[in-house]
Amino acid sequence: MVLSSSCSFFLWLLILSATFSLVLGNKAFTGTYGVNYGRVADNLPPPESVVTLLKAAKIKNVRIYDVNPQVLSAFKGSGIGLSVCLPNELLTDIGVGEDRAMNWIKDNVQPYLPGTKIVGIAIGNEILGGGNIEVWEALLPAAKNIYSALDRLGLAKQIEVSTPHSEAVFANSYPPSSCTFRDDIVPYMKPLLEFFSQIGTPFYINAYPFLAYKNDPQHIDINYALFKKNPGIYDPKSKLHYDNMFDAQVDAAYFALEKFGFDKMEVIVSETGWASHGDDNEAGATVKNAKTYNKNMRKRLLKRKGTPHRPKMLVRVYIFALFNENLKPGPGSERHFGLFNHDGSIAYDIGFTGLKPSSATSSFLSFKGIGSSYVMVSSSCIGILLLLIAL
């Protein structure tokens, strides 16, 4: 059989992509790019429209912060990997016994399978480091009970159990090699990591260069926070150079894990983003900076590379957030992290197409390059691919 050069090239890309997936794959994450779909708002598009938006943007990984039935139903048949969340307020109850975890899964997860591709359950959000010690104590029992219930249902291999942490779990993170967990968190963190290591769960961290810059704009070069040209920093202990804060934050997590003996645990960034607006005292919260950060993050992920400390470990990221959320409490920035406005139009142009025209209209048809190859092929090539898939 003779193939055209364009077809041969496409097949080569397909094989290469499959190889990457085998070597670097995570069962709960496809490729390198995902997004957080928060809904603390009263003016967002219906979930069905959101699925249309995500598919047009080629986004294959999504996190939500609950188990909303309308959202779970809307994602049916989309093929998008969806990570759901056991809300913080339910941890103490679920931590009491496996029967409660089983009931929760049967009510909120199992009915949507396999049509909705639920790939993960986050046990709360940013539990350790918060103010409620009772919830800290419930985190590990809740995670174990959810996992055990999934295992009994035959779902443990397809649904990952995890929990995302904030930077508050660290005592210090500068320079990266000095990063350690807070002493008061260690008694809870270490057994949690031991359990996650046993079941193959990565360490999820919410990493925000924006928050670091906002809190100390006098001493942090904004170019370092935005992936722009800058002198960077040198870590004298590791002898590594960092030209952006994001990589430094990820490596700080790796160094902290290594000090506990978890050298092989992967770090995934469960949240990162930049606010496009904020209060007068929130330095750096501008449309220009938000666009720069998210556009440069895309470029960084397209390179499919690791960090200075873990150069062979692919970096995976969930961007915060899909939409601006008008009912979120806190400072003004909290309501302006969205890549999209409440009506589905793009907040700024980084390569997306919105549900409706915007003043920041994209010149691209979709979010290019992440998780797919944009190569024109003939109908004969498509036929060949279908045959290969069938085999």
Side-chain angles (χ1 to χ4, degrees):
M1 178 167 28
V2 179
L3 303 178
S4 68
S5 59
S6 62
C7 187
S8 299
F9 179 69
F10 185 80
L11 289 173
W12 177 80
L13 284 176
L14 183 69
I15 294 167
L16 185 63
S17 176
T19 301
F20 269 115
S21 298
L22 289 170
V23 175
L24 301 170
N26 177 280
K27 66 181 179 181
F29 206 119
T30 300
T32 60
Y33 191 89
V35 70
N36 288 277
Y37 173 22
R39 303 186 323 283
V40 187
D42 60 5
N43 56 2
L44 299 182
E48 294 77 11
S49 297
V50 173
V51 171
T52 299
L53 185 71
L54 292 166
K55 291 178 74 174
K58 309 295 184 186
I59 294 175
K60 299 182 178 180
N61 310 282
V62 173
R63 293 178 71 241
I64 60 175
Y65 295 90
D66 54 21
V67 282
N68 181 276
Q70 188 181 1
V71 173
L72 293 178
S73 296
F75 275 76
K76 182 178 180 179
S78 68
I80 297 170
L82 190 65
S83 181
V84 302
C85 182
L86 175 70
N88 292 9
E89 59 269 20
L90 295 183
L91 262 66
T92 51
D93 182 58
I94 298 298
V96 170
E98 186 188 322
D99 57 333
R100 301 188 183 191
M102 180 67 77
N103 290 336
W104 185 83
I105 291 170
K106 286 184 174 181
D107 290 342
N108 298 287
V109 176
Q110 194 175 27
Y112 302 95
L113 301 172
T116 299
K117 188 181 176 183
I118 299 175
V119 297
I121 299 175
I123 310 302
N125 185 52
E126 298 188 341
I127 299 298
L128 300 181
N132 193 334
I133 299 296
E134 183 181 359
V135 183
W136 293 19
E137 295 171 345
L139 177 56
L140 179 56
K144 286 185 173 181
N145 287 339
I146 289 290
Y147 178 80
S148 182
L150 288 171
D151 192 42
R152 284 175 56 191
L153 293 169
L155 299 173
K157 291 184 179 180
Q158 71 184 73
I159 299 179
E160 178 186 86
V161 177
S162 65
T163 190
H165 303 285
S166 74
E167 293 278 339
V169 299
F170 301 129
N172 60 290
S173 58
Y174 181 84
S177 63
S178 69
C179 188
T180 56
F181 291 106
R182 278 170 37 186
D183 289 342
D184 60 329
I185 285 176
V186 168
Y188 305 94
M189 181 65 81
K190 193 164 186 178
L192 181 70
L193 293 175
E194 288 171 349
F195 173 63
F196 283 157
S197 179
Q198 291 169 5
I199 64 174
T201 293
F203 182 83
Y204 284 82
I205 185 70
N206 297 342
Y208 284 93
F210 166 71
L211 296 180
Y213 176 77
K214 185 186 78 165
N215 293 332
D216 192 11
Q218 303 300 321
H219 298 99
I220 295 175
D221 182 351
I222 193 167
N223 293 324
Y224 177 64
L226 292 174
F227 299 96
K228 295 177 72 175
K229 188 175 181 179
N230 69 94
I233 68 159
Y234 177 73
D235 186 330
K237 184 175 181 181
S238 66
K239 294 181 172 54
L240 295 173
H241 180 266
Y242 292 88
D243 60 14
N244 69 83
M245 185 184 292
F246 174 80
D247 280 5
Q249 289 181 331
V250 173
D251 271 356
Y254 275 121
F255 279 112
L257 290 170
E258 287 173 12
K259 291 181 176 70
F260 268 4
F262 299 101
D263 300 40
K264 296 182 179 180
M265 184 171 285
E266 180 183 5
V267 173
I268 293 181
V269 177
S270 38
E271 290 183 15
T272 191
W274 199 285
S276 59
H277 294 284
D279 297 333
D280 290 341
N281 63 346
E282 293 190 279
T286 68
V287 171
K288 181 181 178 182
N289 289 339
K291 176 180 178 179
T292 299
Y293 182 80
N294 281 295
K295 194 170 186 178
N296 286 337
M297 175 64 76
R298 181 193 73 173
K299 292 178 180 177
R300 190 244 179 274
L301 294 174
L302 278 170
K303 294 177 182 178
R304 299 182 67 87
K305 67 174 186 177
T307 58
H309 184 50
R310 294 292 181 89
K312 295 182 180 180
M313 182 67 77
L314 194 65
V315 175
R316 306 177 194 275
V317 171
Y318 287 95
I319 297 295
F320 189 87
L322 190 58
F323 294 107
N324 289 324
E325 300 171 71
N326 68 326
L327 297 183
K328 289 201 74 174
S333 61
E334 287 291 327
R335 294 177 285 282
H336 293 93
F337 273 92
L339 299 173
F340 293 87
N341 297 311
H342 66 86
D343 60 0
S345 62
I346 58 175
Y348 40 81
D349 182 7
I350 62 166
F352 285 114
T353 297
L355 291 173
K356 60 188 299 183
S358 161
S359 58
T361 302
S362 172
S363 58
F364 296 83
L365 290 176
S366 60
F367 190 59
K368 297 183 178 179
I370 297 182
S372 60
S373 301
Y374 291 83
V375 182
M376 295 299 293
V377 297
S378 65
S379 59
S380 61
C381 289
I382 295 174
I384 292 166
L385 289 176
L386 290 174
L387 286 173
L388 286 174
I389 291 169
L391 294 173

